[in-house]
Amino acid sequence: MFVAQEYRHAALHERYNKEIVGEQFGHDVEAIQAAVAARLKFEHSSFSHEFQLATTCALEHFTAMMAHFLLGTARGREYLGMFDPFHRKVWTWHAKEEMEHKVCGSYWVRTLSMIRTTAIFILCIILIYLKLLWGRGLLFKPATWWASFKLLLVRPGLLPSLVVPWLDYFRPGFHPWDQNDNTLINGSTDPEMETVPSRL
């Protein structure tokens, strides 16, 4: 089931990136995807299957933490409510998918891979964000950076909300489902949020 969901997830990502990020906003999606593909090729050729699996677990948990913020906190839901209906539906579905896939492995492999995954994930997001800002002529505008600062650190404040759940990953005996997100995954006040938008 996980593999089937990830295949569908990847296909929808590709369509979203092409139709929304590429065609609607005019970004060079192929260059970004090529960089990601090169990174994945390096990962596959450089690390053991066990460590690759641990990295997948860490990445899934990292994105699940952000998903929980979006759907499970008042500030996250407030931020999601600012989206137009189409994008709110996409990101609600995406968040639920991420929360379903929380897993973990042996302690040292798990924790070391989380440290490494966090560093690589943040670096990749920063580089992609800079490229997207450059493409839209927003990179050197103070208003852009002030808005980003407020989003990440003030309101809704994504980064502060991740500190405690991130540190909890390093607790001996930790299991990702200590934070039970089934209510968020299975429940919705809006039936329209339960399915992938028809545009995708």
Side-chain angles (χ1 to χ4, degrees):
M1 182 177 179
F2 172 78
V3 174
Q5 285 182 327
E6 285 298 292
Y7 179 82
R8 183 169 182 245
H9 198 145
L12 288 167
H13 259 298
E14 186 173 343
R15 291 178 61 186
Y16 183 89
N17 290 340
K18 178 182 178 182
E19 296 175 15
I20 307 300
V21 180
E23 295 176 4
Q24 184 172 329
F25 291 102
H27 294 300
D28 187 357
V29 173
E30 290 187 1
I32 296 173
Q33 290 178 331
V36 172
R39 181 71 217 182
L40 291 175
K41 184 177 180 180
F42 170 79
E43 295 286 321
H44 293 160
S45 63
S46 303
F47 298 98
S48 67
H49 293 308
E50 180 186 13
F51 197 79
Q52 289 181 52
L53 179 59
T55 299
T56 299
C57 293
L59 186 57
E60 290 289 344
H61 190 77
F62 197 92
T63 53
M65 291 189 300
M66 293 189 290
H68 179 85
F69 167 78
L70 196 63
L71 300 184
T73 69
R75 287 193 172 190
R77 290 190 295 269
E78 176 187 340
Y79 179 65
L80 187 62
M82 297 167 60
F83 293 12
D84 65 70
F86 169 75
H87 288 93
R88 185 164 64 249
K89 191 173 183 180
V90 168
W91 289 104
T92 297
W93 172 82
H94 193 174
K96 290 183 176 186
E97 285 273 301
E98 296 298 345
M99 286 189 291
E100 279 189 308
H101 296 161
K102 296 190 295 182
V103 290
C104 64
S106 62
Y107 183 77
W108 288 110
V109 175
R110 166 167 63 88
T111 54
L112 289 174
S113 65
M114 174 57 92
I115 293 172
R116 181 174 172 276
T117 296
T118 300
I120 293 174
F121 184 84
I122 292 175
L123 177 61
C124 288
I125 291 298
I126 290 173
L127 292 176
I128 291 171
Y129 186 57
L130 292 176
K131 181 176 179 58
L132 296 179
L133 291 181
W134 175 265
R136 299 190 68 187
L138 299 174
L139 184 59
F140 299 108
K141 294 190 175 182
T144 298
W145 293 103
W146 175 239
S148 300
F149 174 81
K150 288 193 296 182
L151 171 67
L152 293 174
L153 296 172
V154 183
R155 194 172 192 94
L158 172 63
L159 294 184
S161 76
L162 298 181
V163 172
V164 172
W166 188 85
L167 290 174
D168 195 40
Y169 198 80
F170 297 87
R171 170 173 53 85
F174 167 83
H175 192 279
W177 283 99
D178 291 340
Q179 168 67 61
N180 192 329
D181 287 318
N182 276 318
T183 301
L184 298 176
I185 294 169
N186 298 322
S188 174
T189 56
D190 185 354
E192 286 296 311
M193 296 297 106
E194 298 296 331
T195 55
V196 183
S198 58
R199 279 169 60 185
L200 293 179

